[in-house]
Amino acid sequence: MAPITKVNDKVKVVLTGFQPFAHHLTNPSWLSVQPLHNTFLDLPEVPVAKQDPKHHKATQAYLVCQELPVEYQKVPNLVPELHVTHSRTITKDGQVIEVGVNESKQAEEKEKDEYLKTYYIHVGVGRDGHTAIETQAHRTGYGGLDNAKWTPPNKDEPPVVKEEWSADPDLLTTTVDTAALAEYLKTEKGWICQQSLDAGHYLCEYTFYLSMAERQRRIAAGEEGEGERTCLFVHLPSVGNPYTLEELQRFVKDMIVGVVSQY
């Protein structure tokens, strides 16, 4: 029996945070997203005057979360796997289903929802004093010891070199208007937030690059269109500088709403 696609009013948001590292004995990036795993977030109705006729009309976001290791040699496998796990796949009879890495057989046996769009929002800990919406990420230029006590040997090459990724561009930019998103979070939600053009050249930026590169590869291969998925990276300050953990969790929700409602 062919799987049945149910077109619904939901989008999927894949959130990642990082394990503790260096002097961060706990990592606010993971502590801020972990409670959101497997939950639904109601989305406000966008005023007619601000509606983009091409934008989805989702009323809820389904949130799934995953903790990432602070290890250069692991994230190049884990990030693309996230994109596979939460991708839409076309079946032989032309139907669209949500297929996970270990769920293909299950998907053939039961109904699966088709989400209107998938968002990949990666969260890390950055500078104190403010939150930051990252705009771009580089292919090369990385350094610093990771949790495995390993550092990329050559800043002129990606931390992990794969021949099939040799055509990836040197710089990738998110499709989100990061200046507008930061302004929304600052003026309408009251957060100390700014647009950033420097994601730090460490695991945070590398993860952001890998995610955007995976999106670009799928588009180039004709597997999906430009609007199928959106990738973003957000830096949070450490707890207490200036926000409590509860406040950071509220910021993450406000940020998700801002992204999903407009991009």
Side-chain angles (χ1 to χ4, degrees):
M1 179 179 176
I4 300 172
T5 296
K6 298 191 295 182
V7 179
N8 62 32
D9 59 352
K10 299 179 182 65
V11 294
K12 180 184 284 187
V13 179
V14 181
L15 292 161
T16 68
F18 286 99
Q19 293 176 349
F21 71 101
H23 64 281
H24 297 284
L25 301 182
T26 59
N27 196 320
S29 68
W30 177 239
L31 296 178
S32 295
V33 304
Q34 183 183 26
L36 300 176
H37 180 60
N38 202 29
T39 65
F40 290 93
L41 182 63
D42 291 331
L43 302 174
E45 185 175 353
V46 178
V48 175
K50 294 184 177 181
Q51 287 183 2
D52 180 346
K54 296 182 180 180
H55 194 64
H56 61 73
K57 302 299 188 294
T59 60
Q60 277 191 325
Y62 172 55
L63 313 180
V64 292
C65 306
Q66 181 167 325
E67 185 179 34
L68 296 178
V70 184
E71 295 187 38
Y72 281 110
Q73 294 176 301
K74 288 185 177 180
V75 292
N77 293 323
L78 293 174
V79 173
E81 282 179 6
L82 276 177
H83 281 260
V84 172
T85 301
H86 302 286
S87 290
R88 298 192 300 177
T89 298
I90 306 297
T91 62
K92 291 181 179 180
D93 59 359
Q95 296 196 45
V96 180
I97 57 173
E98 293 280 344
V99 178
V101 175
N102 298 314
E103 298 173 345
S104 57
K105 291 184 179 180
Q106 296 178 20
E108 294 175 358
E109 299 172 356
K110 66 179 182 179
E111 295 181 355
K112 303 289 286 184
D113 284 343
E114 177 192 354
Y115 293 90
L116 298 173
K117 184 173 181 175
T118 305
Y119 295 81
Y120 295 81
I121 302 179
H122 308 284
V123 183
V125 58
R127 295 182 177 88
D128 287 342
H130 62 272
T131 60
I133 312 298
E134 299 298 342
T135 304
Q136 60 190 20
H138 297 80
R139 179 171 176 263
T140 61
Y142 294 96
L145 284 174
D146 64 12
N147 278 355
K149 307 302 181 186
W150 188 85
T151 189
N154 185 354
K155 287 193 174 184
D156 293 328
E157 295 283 349
V160 174
V161 178
K162 293 190 179 185
E163 184 177 351
E164 61 268 31
W165 293 355
S166 60
D168 289 345
D170 292 332
L171 181 70
L172 286 171
T173 302
T174 180
T175 55
V176 173
D177 185 337
T178 55
L181 177 60
E183 184 65 20
Y184 160 80
L185 290 167
K186 182 170 61 175
T187 60
E188 296 193 30
K189 294 300 179 179
W191 299 107
I192 305 172
C193 186
Q194 64 185 43
Q195 178 198 39
S196 170
L197 300 177
D198 181 3
H201 283 89
Y202 189 53
L203 260 298
C204 290
E205 182 169 345
Y206 188 41
T207 297
F208 191 20
Y209 181 88
L210 290 168
S211 195
M212 291 191 289
E214 183 66 20
R215 173 184 177 273
Q216 287 294 103
R217 293 184 206 110
R218 290 174 174 275
I219 293 171
E223 297 177 8
E224 63 187 44
E226 290 277 349
E228 293 282 338
R229 67 187 68 206
T230 292
C231 304
L232 187 65
F233 198 101
V234 177
H235 269 122
L236 305 179
S238 59
V239 175
N241 296 290
Y243 298 120
T244 65
L245 179 58
E246 291 73 19
E247 288 172 327
L248 291 175
Q249 291 168 348
R250 291 205 305 272
F251 169 83
V252 169
K253 288 184 180 181
D254 284 346
M255 177 270 297
I256 292 171
V257 170
V259 173
V260 171
S261 298
Q262 298 294 328
Y263 306 101

